[in-house]
Amino acid sequence: MKYRSLPGTNLTVSEVGFGVWSVATKWWGVSDAEVGKRLLRSAYDDYGITFFDTADVYGNGLGETILKDALGDIRDKVVIATKFGYDIYNLPGERKGHSELPQNWSKEHIRYACEQSLKRLGTDYIDFFQLHNPRMEAVHSEEVHDTLDQLKKEGKIREYGAAMGPDIGWEDESIAALKRPGYAAIQIINNILEQDPARNVIPVAEQENRALIVRVPHASGLLDGTYDPNKHFDKSDHRSHRPLDWMNAGLEVVQEMKEKGLFDGKERTIGQLAIQFSLYHPSIVTVLPNITSEANLKEFALASEVAPLTEEEAKFIENLWVNGYNKRLAQHMSNTQTKPTPVLNVQ
């Protein structure tokens, strides 16, 4: 495992991190808590993963307590990121499907959420505290920033940032956060099949010397070899909300990359290529694949050790996107960006 540092901080993270949502929610992956704990511990013990990203909303706290159970005795050896902003403490009723929860950015809620996360994590400090899917108002809020700065002074958090998106429009918010002092890193979506708007965010991160954290590197299974076009996902699985045309278009892209020789399943798998696509950029310090088994934990963790993308390979993948390799995919992305609907609160 290789490691990268967040500029301007004392935080160093593994190039491949662990997105805890895959072992703490019903939307994807592991439903057995004991299996989840074993995967989390194996990530550190066997593969050197030191960055674990969770949120208070994952399993209504389970995403934090599971980290305490799995990694509590090595707390000082790992970097824990969690998120706040969704008010899971005053819900008016039962949540319906994947509908977005109400947000609360008041100083009272931020402090309360921080204290509750500290208790669930079994720790007295949070390494990286993130606004969860903030709108522009929250990104610029002086009350939010003053509260977070005070929590830093008190030693309850080491650094703070924001996890952006996914379906509320997040390009402008990301750029604004990167240009504003205080945010140590921004978490974004980036993968071979969803290069916008990250392509506009990455140069800003480089200019401002800020870190980026990438999630969804495998595009809901299209870039890790697990997507079966003949399989119907359960409604509880967030992939069931993906348009079929988008999924089929992605398979065409995978085939084109295979024919180009970008992966062969041995020296580099499609899943490892997808991770290396983001790690090609120095400003991206860690990538969070969806880990649901020992097999893909090993495959994804080893992506840090396989040959990185060459400039030629990176340019080929970029050109696939720039040249509009599939009209259906391009049209879907256009519709998503011009008509954002806050219906999914994933990761």
Side-chain angles (χ1 to χ4, degrees):
M1 179 62 64
K2 297 176 184 176
Y3 302 86
R4 299 186 181 188
S5 296
L6 279 67
T9 78
N10 293 321
L11 297 180
T12 298
V13 297
S14 51
E15 285 190 339
V16 178
F18 198 124
V20 180
W21 89 307
S22 67
V23 297
T25 74
K26 301 293 185 182
W27 292 7
W28 182 296
V30 179
S31 58
D32 186 324
E34 293 306 313
V35 173
K37 293 174 190 176
R38 288 198 298 272
L39 288 173
L40 289 166
R41 189 61 190 227
S42 178
Y44 174 81
D45 287 343
D46 301 326
Y47 302 105
I49 291 177
T50 59
F51 183 67
F52 297 85
D53 176 74
T54 191
D56 55 5
V57 74
Y58 296 171
N60 282 349
L62 175 61
E64 294 175 328
T65 59
I66 196 173
L67 278 177
K68 177 185 67 175
D69 294 342
L71 306 174
D73 62 322
I74 53 169
R75 173 65 187 94
D76 61 332
K77 294 180 173 60
V78 297
V79 176
I80 292 177
T82 193
K83 308 180 189 75
F84 69 94
Y86 286 108
D87 191 351
I88 63 174
Y89 306 100
N90 299 290
L91 296 180
E94 185 176 353
R95 185 179 189 180
K96 295 181 180 180
H98 294 183
S99 60
E100 190 176 34
L101 297 175
Q103 293 181 319
N104 187 338
W105 303 109
S106 68
K107 61 183 178 181
E108 292 81 10
H109 177 77
I110 295 172
R111 280 194 165 275
Y112 184 77
C114 181
E115 293 294 344
Q116 296 308 304
S117 289
L118 288 169
K119 290 178 183 178
R120 287 189 292 264
L121 289 165
T123 185
D124 56 4
Y125 67 95
I126 294 167
D127 297 294
F128 187 54
F129 202 37
Q130 303 163 93
L131 287 75
H132 201 170
N133 296 348
R135 277 65 169 176
M136 190 67 80
E137 181 180 359
V139 171
H140 285 308
S141 170
E142 295 297 337
E143 180 176 356
V144 169
H145 280 265
D146 290 346
T147 305
L148 293 171
D149 286 336
Q150 187 59 40
L151 289 172
K152 279 187 68 174
K153 291 179 182 178
E154 296 170 10
K156 293 184 177 180
I157 65 174
R158 295 177 66 189
E159 302 291 345
Y160 64 85
M164 300 297 190
D167 285 349
I168 59 175
W170 51 268
E171 178 178 349
D172 292 342
E173 290 84 352
S174 296
I175 291 174
L178 288 169
K179 290 186 175 182
R180 173 165 182 159
Y183 289 99
I186 301 300
Q187 185 179 146
I188 63 172
I189 294 170
N190 184 49
N191 62 65
I192 293 168
L193 304 180
E194 295 172 291
Q195 295 186 36
D196 284 332
R199 289 196 318 120
N200 296 328
V201 175
I202 292 170
V204 178
E206 294 173 351
Q207 294 166 7
E208 299 295 329
N209 197 29
R210 301 289 181 86
L212 294 173
I213 298 165
V214 162
R215 68 181 187 275
V216 199
H218 294 120
S220 303
L222 278 167
L223 297 171
D224 64 8
T226 63
Y227 174 64
D228 181 350
N230 298 312
K231 179 180 179 180
H232 297 283
F233 296 114
D234 184 87
K235 290 183 178 180
S236 64
D237 190 314
H238 87 278
R239 288 172 293 181
S240 65
H241 297 264
R242 288 285 200 179
L244 184 59
D245 281 349
W246 186 90
M247 304 294 271
N248 290 336
L251 292 178
E252 295 177 11
V253 178
V254 171
Q255 182 61 33
E256 190 166 349
M257 291 190 298
K258 185 175 182 180
E259 292 172 358
K260 181 68 175 178
L262 269 62
F263 67 94
D264 60 7
K266 297 178 181 178
E267 296 298 322
R268 180 200 279 160
T269 67
I270 176 62
Q272 292 169 337
L273 170 68
I275 292 172
Q276 283 290 350
F277 168 73
S278 285
L279 291 176
Y280 179 78
H281 302 281
S283 61
I284 296 175
V285 296
T286 188
V287 178
L288 301 168
N290 289 322
I291 296 170
T292 59
S293 69
E294 285 285 352
N296 57 40
L297 168 59
K298 179 179 180 180
E299 177 188 351
F300 299 157
L302 293 179
S304 178
E305 301 179 16
V306 302
L309 263 66
T310 65
E311 183 178 355
E312 180 184 358
E313 290 173 329
K315 183 61 67 175
F316 175 81
I317 294 174
E318 181 182 0
N319 285 339
L320 281 178
W321 180 265
V322 172
N323 295 332
Y325 51 77
N326 186 285
K327 293 181 180 179
R328 287 176 297 164
L329 177 56
Q331 183 61 47
H332 168 73
M333 295 304 295
S334 175
N335 290 340
T336 299
Q337 292 172 45
T338 58
K339 299 179 181 179
T341 52
V343 294
L344 293 181
N345 165 30
V346 293
Q347 292 186 270

